[in-house]
Each structure stands twice: as structure tokens, then as C-alpha cells.
Amino acid sequence: MFMYLIAIPIYAQQEENRPKYDLIIVRDDDLIDYITVLPYANLLKVPVLPVNPQKLDEKTWAQLYSYIQIGWKKILIVGNSNAVSKEVEDELLKMGYSVTRIGGDVRTETAEKLAVHFYPQGSKTVVLASALDYGSALAASRFAMEYDLPLLLTLENDLSEHAVAGLKHLQPELVVLVGTGLNETIEAKLRSMGYETYWLGKNVEKPPVSPPEEPSPYRYSLIGAIVSLAIAVPITLYWAKKKWYSNKIPVEVLTEKERIVVKALIEQGGKVKQEDLPELTGYSRPTVSRIIQELEKKQLIEREKVGKTFIVKLVKEIDLKE
């Protein structure tokens, strides 16, 4: 019987050294990578997007491009190039994302690399499940999410070399085994290696771990706002893909009013006084000012102050053909 609880505090140093991402991408034809990365997505409070492992379809491409518009920059791809192709990675890079890939030749190696990546300072407790029993792996993932713990996967009848390597890096005191997909020899081997063990679903005692402290309700307010914006962004970029790769900015990234202002700029040779735009577009000065600010945010124009007015310059080529 366990006579103690191992607390799981969130160390400031661990938080500081932990990598940050805006989005995690996994293959959509095999659940194991999705299951394995869930604890870390929960840790960072970021979404996981399953995609076609060979090539991004147009709807997914458009949605990913819309995320760029709201400031998402860093993507983590889970799995090697056999899991998510190099072509998908190249498409993300062309959109402007910073891409990190973590994956191994087998799922146990991917789990090891993810655990070490997100827990560079180690962890007092590690969760372990079978790489082949998806039900147990999902339960283990849920437990790891609840207690902010790293997740390792192993073979059913023996500790995988990658699970052993992960334990060596993480240096836990306790290993929580989850599900019936593991052989009892694994628990015996763990104990012979000096680890304390608890078998969730087998032991009747309460798990000897404590959940992390509840974060401030304001901690993730910004992330929540960004996610809300992402949901609200309409997928108006459906046909933008081919135009984007021709090095022209597709018209679909512009609102109707922005298109009229851009058209006026193009007709004036790409440069015009801001004070002339109301007459050229039919919009009021305040409306023109707001549109100019939005175009600046999209880095499509620049303004240069000349005397008492601004000269508005188009700095990127825009394809107005829909």
C-alpha cells in the first residue's frame, strides 16, 4: 500500500524551458499519434489538427492559411515523413509557418521523443501504456492530461528500448501503468530497475499522484480569444492555393472594401495620396482610414508621410482575378 503522495508541481524552470507551439498537426489515418500528443496539447492549451498525411486538401490549406492571418506561427508535426509527408511540411513552410517535426521510425520512439521534448527537466511521475492497445493508450493519455504528466508507450510483453530510453531521460520515481494491454513482467522489470509502480485499473488504492494546481482563470484568456477568432474566421480562401504558389497574393485574402481600395491603388500605378482615396473609392475618410490600417496589418501596403498627408504604396503584387 502506498503511504505517500508524489506531488506534481509546475516548476517555473520547466515552464520556461518547455517549447511553445500554436498548433499541432498529426496524420488523420491512424489515431495513435493523436492519442500520444494529447497530453502535450493540453499542457500548452493548443489544438491538434489531423490532416491528410500525403497532401493538404484545399479546405485544410485555406483554414491553415487563415490561422496565419490571426498570428499563429509555430507548428509541431508529430511523426516522421512516413507519417506526415515532406510535401505537407513544405506547404506549411511556404505559408510562412515555423515548423518543428518530432517523430520516430516506430510509435514507441515518437512517444519517447515527445515526452523528452516537453519535459526537458524530467518528471517525478511517468505514464506508461501499450503502443498496440488503443483503448489503454487513450486512457493513459487522459490520465496524463489530468495530471500534467509525460506519456511513454511500450510493447505488450516487454519494455521497448524507447520506453527505457525515455525513463532514463525523465528520471521518474513512479511509473503509472495503464490498462490491461501490458504483461506483468513489465511491472516486475520496472521495479527491478528501481522504479516505484502503480497499475491503474489493477491497484485498488487511489493513484499516488496529486493533480497540478489550478491555473489562474486569466492564464489562458488570450489563447481562448485566439481560438474564438479562429473559429470565427470564414474559410474564404478555398481557391487561393494555386494563386499563392504563383507568388501573387490571392484576392481571397481581401474583404470586399479592401479589394476596392487595392484596385484604386493599382489603377493609380500602385501609389496614391491617402487623401485622394475617398474620391477614388466612394468611401468616407474614416472608412478609408480603417481599410488602410487593415491592409497595413496584412503587410500589403506601406504609408510614407509627406508633408501633411500620407502616400500609400502597394508593396505586394495582388491578383485581383477570382
Side-chain angles (χ1 to χ4, degrees):
M1 180 178 295
F2 294 93
M3 302 302 293
Y4 59 89
L5 291 179
I6 297 179
I8 315 294
I10 301 179
Y11 293 101
Q13 187 178 8
Q14 184 90 290
E15 288 279 332
E16 183 179 343
N17 293 337
R18 184 168 289 138
K20 306 296 183 185
Y21 300 99
D22 298 307
L23 178 67
I24 298 174
I25 283 181
V26 298
R27 64 192 302 173
D28 67 359
D29 61 346
D30 192 331
L31 282 176
I32 194 63
D33 287 341
Y34 181 85
I35 291 171
T36 305
V37 83
L38 279 177
Y40 313 115
N42 178 69
L43 196 65
L44 301 180
K45 299 296 184 286
V46 299
V48 181
L49 178 65
V51 303
N52 184 310
Q54 299 304 319
K55 186 176 182 180
L56 297 177
D57 61 69
E58 290 182 326
K59 287 185 178 180
T60 303
W61 186 95
Q63 190 63 67
L64 284 163
Y65 183 71
S66 74
Y67 296 154
I68 283 280
Q69 307 307 306
I70 59 173
W72 293 11
K73 296 294 183 183
K74 300 184 68 176
I75 282 184
L76 171 64
I77 295 178
V78 177
N80 63 15
S81 58
N82 291 325
V84 178
S85 71
K86 184 66 166 56
E87 181 177 347
V88 170
E89 181 178 352
D90 289 341
E91 288 187 87
L92 294 170
L93 291 170
K94 287 179 181 178
M95 285 185 211
Y97 282 107
S98 169
V99 179
T100 299
R101 182 190 288 271
I102 297 177
D105 293 333
V106 292
R107 58 189 62 180
T108 54
E109 185 180 8
T110 297
E112 174 215 339
K113 289 184 174 182
L114 285 170
V116 173
H117 183 68
F118 284 103
Y119 286 83
Q121 306 299 319
S123 176
K124 289 186 176 181
T125 304
V126 169
V127 182
L128 182 69
S130 168
L132 301 177
D133 181 354
Y134 281 29
S136 294
L138 184 60
S141 181
R142 177 66 182 85
F143 186 86
M145 289 170 64
E146 182 176 355
Y147 291 93
D148 283 355
L149 298 173
L151 171 64
L152 294 175
L153 299 178
T154 187
L155 307 175
E156 292 182 313
N157 297 316
D158 194 11
L159 275 178
S160 67
E161 60 176 306
H162 303 298
V164 172
L167 290 169
K168 183 178 179 180
H169 280 287
L170 297 168
Q171 299 183 337
E173 298 174 11
L174 173 70
V175 178
V176 177
L177 296 87
V178 180
T180 58
L182 299 175
N183 191 288
E184 291 184 356
T185 57
I186 292 178
E187 183 177 29
K189 186 170 184 177
L190 287 168
R191 290 186 174 182
S192 71
M193 295 168 67
Y195 300 111
E196 189 69 67
T197 63
Y198 175 89
W199 202 317
L200 191 67
K202 179 179 177 182
N203 292 102
V204 295
E205 300 94 343
K206 182 179 178 180
V209 292
S210 298
E213 295 180 4
E214 287 295 325
S216 163
Y218 303 105
R219 181 177 179 182
Y220 302 114
S221 58
L222 178 59
I223 295 176
I226 291 175
V227 171
S228 297
L229 281 172
I231 295 172
V233 172
I235 306 178
T236 59
L237 311 175
Y238 189 82
W239 301 108
K241 187 175 181 180
K242 292 181 181 178
K243 297 178 183 178
W244 176 262
Y245 291 135
S246 67
N247 294 320
K248 291 184 178 181
I249 304 301
V251 69
E252 287 86 354
V253 305
L254 303 175
T255 65
E256 183 178 349
K257 290 182 178 180
E258 289 170 350
R259 295 180 196 187
I260 292 175
V261 170
V262 168
K263 183 179 179 182
L265 276 166
I266 293 174
E267 290 174 348
Q268 297 299 313
K271 182 169 65 174
V272 69
K273 291 182 180 179
Q274 184 170 333
E275 62 186 22
D276 293 338
L277 282 171
E279 182 178 350
L280 293 171
T281 62
Y283 295 137
S284 66
R285 289 181 181 274
T287 299
V288 166
S289 180
R290 286 195 297 270
I291 296 171
I292 291 298
Q293 289 175 6
E294 290 302 314
L295 291 173
E296 280 185 308
K297 289 179 183 178
K298 294 179 179 179
Q299 299 180 343
L300 300 179
I301 65 166
E302 290 179 353
R303 287 194 297 172
E304 178 184 352
K305 189 170 180 60
V306 177
K308 295 182 179 181
T309 188
F310 284 97
I311 301 297
V312 181
K313 298 179 181 179
L314 197 61
V315 296
K316 290 188 179 179
E317 187 176 1
I318 299 175
D319 188 353
L320 289 180
K321 296 179 181 179
E322 300 188 44

